[in-house]
Amino acid sequence: MTDYLRDGPAIYRQSFATIRAESDLSAFAPDVAGVVVRMIHACGQTDLTDDVVATPGVVRAARTALESGAPILCDASMVAAGVTRRRLPADNDVRCHLSEPMLAKLASTMGTTRTAAALEFWRPSLEGSVVAIGNAPTALFALLDMIDDGAPRPAAVVGAPVGFVGAEESCAALAERGDLEFITVTGRRGGSAITAAAINALASPEE
């Protein structure tokens, strides 16, 4: 029989010990560092620390909002599916509106992607929410435009869309904001797994 570690808790402990040993977390406050560790765990890249930008108060803001029952608004079904419901402190709603019946028509009318157009369905719940964008740069750009146009502000934003067109630029735009609590991954890296991992870490202290 192949010799490999089979003890689940031991694998868990060793994984996180390896991340902390190999990652430079010195730039982050302890609570933010805990979130970054989980983001690294989701992608297996210890140098992710080079690209993560976060506001000092993002963890506190997100946890306070979630404990108060705020919804989590997701740009993609994969992000929503990655949120571990048992970690949520108030059985929070996790919403993704990509299946709305009129979304394709709305996107065509607006001249944008379905993912960006879906943010229109966020408007009634945006204030004080926790936003998770892990797929579409157009959704992150649309969120920032909505806020600039007077839409309510979420309590916290995890903005880590992935890709080669717009991802780097949209995350850079978020990183420049002084009016939002956020965590983002600059450059081309990101994605649903990293974003969901950040949300799960924000939902509850590191285990």
Side-chain angles (χ1 to χ4, degrees), residues 180-204:
L180 295 171
E181 297 285 359
F182 66 82
I183 186 164
T184 189
V185 179
T186 60
R188 293 172 170 176
R189 290 191 286 188
S192 298
I194 287 175
T195 302
I199 291 294
N200 290 333
L202 291 168
S204 62

Side-chain angles (χ1 to χ4, degrees), residues 47-66:
D47 67 337
L48 189 71
T49 53
D50 296 339
D51 295 337
V52 174
V53 179
T55 54
V58 65
V59 175
R60 181 168 56 255
R63 287 186 181 154
T64 298
L66 292 172

Side-chain angles (χ1 to χ4, degrees), residues 39-106:
M39 294 168 72
I40 292 170
H41 186 250
C43 68
Q45 299 171 327
T46 56
D47 67 337
L48 189 71
T49 53
D50 296 339
D51 295 337
V52 174
V53 179
T55 54
V58 65
V59 175
R60 181 168 56 255
R63 287 186 181 154
T64 298
L66 292 172
E67 288 167 2
S68 298
I72 300 170
L73 306 178
C74 305
D75 72 322
S77 300
M78 285 183 66
V79 176
V83 176
T84 305
R85 298 324 196 255
R86 66 177 175 78
R87 296 183 70 92
L88 301 178
D91 194 25
N92 306 74
D93 254 352
V94 181
R95 304 175 191 168
C96 176
H97 290 280
L98 286 182
S99 62
E100 296 289 342
M102 300 300 292
L103 183 58
K105 182 177 181 180
L106 177 62

Side-chain angles (χ1 to χ4, degrees), residues 89-180:
D91 194 25
N92 306 74
D93 254 352
V94 181
R95 304 175 191 168
C96 176
H97 290 280
L98 286 182
S99 62
E100 296 289 342
M102 300 300 292
L103 183 58
K105 182 177 181 180
L106 177 62
S108 177
T109 300
M110 295 176 65
T112 191
T113 65
R114 292 172 63 251
T115 315
L119 269 65
E120 292 301 313
F121 297 96
W122 290 8
R123 287 186 183 272
S125 307
L126 191 57
E127 185 169 9
S129 65
V130 175
V131 167
I133 296 177
N135 181 63
T138 54
L140 184 50
F141 278 128
L143 173 68
L144 299 179
D145 286 344
M146 286 171 62
I147 291 170
D148 286 341
D149 288 341
R153 281 173 169 72
V157 177
V158 177
V162 65
F164 299 92
V165 179
E168 184 172 4
E169 294 82 0
S170 63
C171 291
L174 177 59
E176 292 173 358
R177 302 291 293 217
D179 59 337
L180 295 171

